[in-house]
Amino acid sequence: MLQQVMTAPGAIEFRQVPTPQPAPGQVLVKIEKIGVCGSDIHVYHGEHPFTKYPITQGHEVSGTVAVYQLGDKALTVLPFADVEEGRWYVEAVRYAYENSLMEGTSGTAFAPETNLSRAMAVQILYNLEGKPAVTEAATFTDAAAAGEWALDAIAWAQQTGVVAGMGDNLFAPAAQVTREQFAQMMYNYAKYKGYDLTAAGDLAQFTDSGKLQPWAVTAMKWANGNGLINGFEDNTLQPAG
């Protein structure tokens, strides 16, 4: 592992320290090199910069590490070959991975362009809550269709009021979650946690705001007001997207 040491005001050194054993589920990643370019440190994974972080000074080092230390912050090197440097979602993927909100679809794939299913959506919120123990199964008649991995999340979401189902006692776990549905789930979760629900974005700025389902208006205003769900470059919200 690399540890950053402040040797003098404005000066930074990187020292090699013993590499920790990977935590359960963590993947050791071969780092080709860590180089300094201007005010950024570039972590190379293969042929291209995998990620970068601002620093003051430094010099190249190399080794095989899973996590390295930059100042007082431990940085996880993502093992996903399909999360490309420079894409708008890189830091979000890093945050979700480091905080155990989401896992990859395999040891080296995250599938960032895959559409989110309703089962996946409640699993993320269940992970965020720390996967509390669930004592009763969900009553949705189609919950089992989600697969064993999502049963606790669906049951927790139903029992806490995070989800209300799709009618006729169905959850539709494999259906793609829409933007307005996910806004409602997040709003329900915030309500369950007792968070402030007063923020409200101006949905009139979006040309298709009239397409919002009436039940989703309050949740979408809240989600937009908190910057959780924003519009697209064409000034649309695409609530059913």
Side-chain angles (χ1 to χ4, degrees):
M1 187 169 74
L2 303 174
Q3 186 171 35
Q4 181 195 46
V5 181
M6 300 297 295
T7 57
I12 297 176
E13 236 179 59
F14 290 93
R15 297 178 183 173
Q16 191 76 29
V17 296
T19 300
Q21 292 298 311
Q26 186 180 53
V27 179
L28 282 172
V29 180
K30 174 63 177 177
I31 304 303
E32 303 300 335
K33 67 176 181 177
I34 296 178
V36 175
C37 179
S39 61
D40 292 330
I41 181 171
H42 285 191
V43 179
Y44 288 80
H45 177 63
E47 299 178 354
H48 306 288
F50 196 66
T51 190
K52 63 183 179 181
Y53 296 91
I55 63 166
T56 304
Q57 284 183 329
H59 57 273
E60 287 192 7
V61 291
S62 63
T64 302
V65 295
V67 179
Y68 65 92
Q69 195 78 14
L70 183 60
D72 60 356
K73 181 181 180 182
L75 301 172
T76 302
V77 179
L78 294 173
F80 308 124
D82 56 354
V83 178
E84 301 175 1
E85 170 66 20
R87 300 304 297 270
W88 60 270
Y89 50 72
V90 170
E91 289 308 311
V93 172
R94 181 178 306 283
Y95 181 88
Y97 180 69
E98 288 182 341
N99 289 278
S100 300
L101 301 182
M102 299 179 74
E103 298 178 353
T105 55
S106 74
T108 58
F110 185 78
E113 304 293 342
T114 296
N115 291 334
L116 203 65
S117 71
R118 287 173 53 81
M120 292 175 183
V122 295
Q123 183 68 52
I124 292 170
L125 294 175
Y126 182 58
N127 292 346
L128 176 62
E129 189 63 10
K131 295 183 178 180
V134 176
T135 57
E136 297 181 10
T139 62
F140 297 120
T141 56
D142 61 348
E148 188 70 26
W149 62 270
L151 293 182
D152 282 351
I154 294 173
W156 166 86
Q158 182 184 30
Q159 292 159 19
T160 56
V162 171
V163 298
M166 300 289 285
D168 296 325
N169 203 28
L170 299 174
F171 179 71
Q176 294 177 8
V177 67
T178 65
R179 288 162 59 80
E180 61 186 0
Q181 287 174 359
F182 197 47
Q184 188 67 57
M185 289 180 185
M186 290 190 291
Y187 181 83
N188 292 346
Y189 177 75
K191 185 177 181 179
Y192 161 70
K193 296 292 289 182
Y195 295 153
D196 184 4
L197 300 175
T198 58
D202 179 16
L203 300 185
Q205 63 183 301
F206 304 111
T207 59
D208 61 346
S209 60
K211 295 181 179 180
L212 264 169
Q213 297 292 326
W215 53 262
V217 171
T218 298
M220 187 62 81
K221 284 183 177 179
W222 169 85
N224 181 251
N226 281 285
L228 299 176
I229 294 183
N230 300 307
F232 292 85
E233 292 181 355
D234 61 358
N235 210 32
T236 61
L237 186 61
Q238 300 181 27

